């Protein structure tokens, strides 16, 4: 809760600045306090963009303070009302894909604990997910209906701006996924090849763009971000990790560690308090859901939007790898991955054959009862 109350305290100061110095209030968001800080797009220190995510969030909360007179819990209501639109957008997309699984989609959208927690309180994740949802909603229905009106274009722009300002690295991650999605819509028979080709091209560009311009040294930016996390003081959920080097071989060697950090931890042995216990229970429940999805999927022949499903998988895996490569704080990892939870959980939950699973469990219980009666 330290971050959310810190944001609130800063928003109170910003709220008072509105009345004491209106000019500063309306201009400080566009001021670069560093020398060339605006050019450090991926920088972890002395970067205008690194500061912008917190500054913009504080500015939004300061607007809430005008109506709530600085009351924290009233601001939570305002904020949750806005971010609810993101969850509703994903719900509408997924119920259009799985029209007979509305209850399953509803539960998987709104009741994943980490997603519910981090997108409902005063954390940036709520607006980040709303940005992602606006993009997915606009593209999905725009492609399906072959109609791009003002509202859809505005939704796309708003979504991209939210991601750019609040977590700019997601902008780089989502562009290849969207490009592959759009290309697959044009050539659906080559969907797997298109996604594979796009991502291989992006991996090559990731490691070679620095030879075009030093400003595009993506591997070094990831290494710098990891070092910034390692050097952070405070908290008790940081874990020791192998440090990255800005080389392809180093990234390749660290893939198992990245996957472990972002998709499996926290372990039960990592539990230190109630929130970490909840996170450990959740990740194990989701791993169980994945196993059920693998072995107990529905075998129906209905047409799903495979392009969107491919987008969800490739984009989510990219996000998880980026988290695993940079963060060593388990609390931060749980928070960062919360924004892609619905994109993974909803398709898995909707495709599990719950009726068949229920029948298997009932038969198993009956067999045990019969054995008991015989003995």
């Amino acid at each position: 809760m330290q971050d959310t109350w810190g944001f609130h305290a800063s928003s109170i100061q910003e709220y008072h600045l509105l009345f004491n110095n209106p000019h500063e209030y309306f201009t400080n968001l566009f001021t670069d306090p560093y020398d060339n800080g605006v050019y450090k797009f991926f920088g972890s220190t002395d970067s205008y963009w690194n500061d912008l995510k917190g500054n913009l969030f504080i500015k939004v909360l300061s607007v809430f303070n005008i109506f709530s007179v600085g009351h924290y819990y009233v601001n939570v209501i305002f904020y949750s009302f806005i971010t609810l639109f993101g969850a509703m957008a994903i719900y509408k997309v997924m119920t259009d894909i799985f029209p007979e699984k509305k209850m399953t989609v509803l539960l998987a959208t709104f009741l994943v604990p980490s997603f519910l927690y981090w997108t409902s309180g005063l954390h940036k994740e709520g607006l980040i997910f709303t940005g992602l949802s606006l993009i997915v909603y606009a593209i999905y229905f725009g492609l399906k209906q072959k109609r791009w009106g003002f509202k859809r274009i505005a939704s796309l722009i708003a979504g991209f701006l939210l991601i750019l300002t609040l977590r700019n690295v997601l902008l780089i991650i989502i562009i290849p996924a969207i490009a592959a999605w759009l290309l697959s819509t044009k050539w659906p028979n080559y969907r797997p090849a298109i996604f594979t080709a796009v991502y291989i091209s992006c991996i090559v560009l990731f490691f070679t763009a620095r030879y075009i311009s030093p400003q595009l040294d993506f591997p070094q930016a990831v290494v710098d971000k990891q070092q910034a996390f390692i050097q952070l003081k405070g908290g008790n959920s940081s874990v020791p990790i192998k440090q990255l080097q800005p080389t392809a071989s180093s990234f390749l060697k660290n893939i198992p560690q990245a996957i472990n950090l972002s998709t499996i931890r926290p372990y039960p042995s990592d539990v230190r308090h109630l929130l970490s216990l909840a996170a450990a229970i959740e990740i194990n429940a989701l791993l169980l859901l994945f196993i059920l999805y693998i072995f107990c999927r529905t075998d129906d022949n209905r047409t799903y939007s495979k392009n969107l499903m491919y987008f969800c998988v490739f984009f989510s895996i990219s996000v998880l790898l980026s988290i695993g490569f940079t963060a060593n704080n388990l609390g931060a990892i749980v928070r960062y991955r919360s924004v892609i939870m619905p994109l993974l959980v909803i398709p898995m939950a909707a495709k599990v054959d719950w009726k068949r699973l229920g029948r298997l469990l009932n038969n198993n219980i009956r067999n045990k009862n019969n054995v008991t009666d015989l003995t």
Side-chain angles (χ1 to χ4, degrees), residues 242-244 247-258 325:
K242 297 178 183 178
Q243 297 187 27
L244 274 173
T247 62
S249 61
S250 178
F251 275 78
L252 185 62
K253 291 177 182 177
N254 278 273
I255 286 177
Q257 174 181 264
F325 280 132

Side-chain angles (χ1 to χ4, degrees), residues 79 83 86 118-121 123-131 339:
Y79 185 69
T83 58
W118 291 109
T119 60
S120 298
H123 303 281
K124 297 188 292 292
E125 278 65 31
L127 285 177
I128 292 169
F129 179 77
T130 300
V339 298

Side-chain angles (χ1 to χ4, degrees), residues 84-305:
L84 181 63
F85 285 95
M88 286 299 301
I90 287 296
Y91 173 76
K92 288 185 177 181
V93 169
M94 292 300 179
T95 51
D96 190 76
I97 298 172
F98 305 105
E100 297 180 7
K101 300 290 185 70
K102 289 186 177 181
M103 181 55 66
T104 302
V105 172
L106 179 70
L107 296 175
T109 302
F110 293 97
L111 295 184
V112 176
S114 62
F115 172 76
L116 183 64
Y117 179 83
W118 291 109
T119 60
S120 298
L122 297 184
H123 303 281
K124 297 188 292 292
E125 278 65 31
L127 285 177
I128 292 169
F129 179 77
T130 300
L132 292 173
S133 300
L134 290 174
I135 293 171
V136 172
Y137 181 89
I139 295 177
Y140 175 79
F141 284 108
L143 292 173
K144 181 181 179 180
Q145 300 172 2
K146 298 181 180 179
R147 187 171 66 249
W148 300 86
F150 172 78
K151 290 183 179 180
R152 293 214 174 108
I153 299 298
S155 295
L156 276 175
I157 295 174
F160 281 119
L161 285 176
L162 284 172
I163 293 174
L164 172 66
T165 52
L166 293 172
R167 191 158 294 161
N168 56 8
V169 67
L170 288 181
L171 187 65
I172 304 300
I173 297 175
I174 201 173
I175 288 175
I178 292 175
W181 183 4
L182 296 178
L183 291 172
S184 296
T185 302
K186 189 172 183 180
W187 295 289
N189 293 333
Y190 302 98
R191 186 182 301 110
I194 288 172
F195 271 87
T196 302
V198 167
Y199 272 82
I200 289 176
S201 301
C202 289
I203 291 171
V204 172
L205 184 62
F206 177 83
F207 289 105
T208 59
R210 55 187 169 187
Y211 301 114
I212 301 173
S213 170
Q215 299 292 331
L216 301 177
D217 193 344
F218 299 119
Q220 187 60 53
V222 175
V223 171
D224 291 342
K225 188 67 69 174
Q226 185 192 64
Q227 289 299 317
F229 262 103
I230 292 174
Q231 294 170 12
L232 282 176
K233 305 298 181 183
N236 59 356
S237 63
S238 295
V239 295
I241 58 173
K242 297 178 183 178
Q243 297 187 27
L244 274 173
Q245 300 297 324
T247 62
S249 61
S250 178
F251 275 78
L252 185 62
K253 291 177 182 177
N254 278 273
I255 286 177
Q257 174 181 264
I259 294 174
N260 177 57
L261 282 171
S262 61
T263 63
I264 300 178
R265 300 191 77 164
Y267 301 143
S269 59
D270 294 322
V271 172
R272 298 290 183 273
H273 44 68
L274 185 61
L275 288 180
S276 59
L277 174 62
I281 294 173
E282 178 192 73
I283 199 63
N284 283 282
L286 294 180
L287 290 173
L288 175 60
L289 176 63
F290 178 68
I291 294 173
L292 294 177
Y293 169 77
I294 295 296
F295 295 104
C296 199
R297 287 200 304 267
T298 53
D299 296 324
D300 55 66
N301 295 318
R302 290 177 298 173
T303 300
Y304 296 107
S305 177

Side-chain angles (χ1 to χ4, degrees), residues 331-362:
I333 289 171
V334 173
R335 177 158 58 95
Y336 291 161
R337 74 186 178 204
S338 65
V339 298
I340 53 96
M341 280 297 181
L343 301 182
L344 289 174
V345 175
I346 296 172
M348 287 194 296
K351 286 289 288 179
V352 170
D353 192 342
W354 296 106
K355 291 182 179 179
R356 175 187 164 199
L357 187 62
R359 289 194 298 269
L360 290 174
L361 291 175
N362 285 333

Side-chain angles (χ1 to χ4, degrees), residues 45-113:
T45 58
D46 298 338
S47 167
Y48 168 81
W49 298 98
N50 189 56
D51 292 350
L52 179 61
K53 55 189 178 183
N55 293 338
L56 177 64
F57 191 65
I58 291 168
K59 189 71 72 176
V60 171
L61 297 183
S62 72
V63 176
F64 293 165
N65 287 329
I66 297 173
F67 303 97
S68 69
V69 198
H71 286 83
Y72 174 88
Y73 293 104
V74 177
N75 289 348
V76 171
I77 295 174
F78 290 157
Y79 185 69
S80 296
F81 175 78
I82 293 173
T83 58
L84 181 63
F85 285 95
M88 286 299 301
I90 287 296
Y91 173 76
K92 288 185 177 181
V93 169
M94 292 300 179
T95 51
D96 190 76
I97 298 172
F98 305 105
E100 297 180 7
K101 300 290 185 70
K102 289 186 177 181
M103 181 55 66
T104 302
V105 172
L106 179 70
L107 296 175
T109 302
F110 293 97
L111 295 184
V112 176

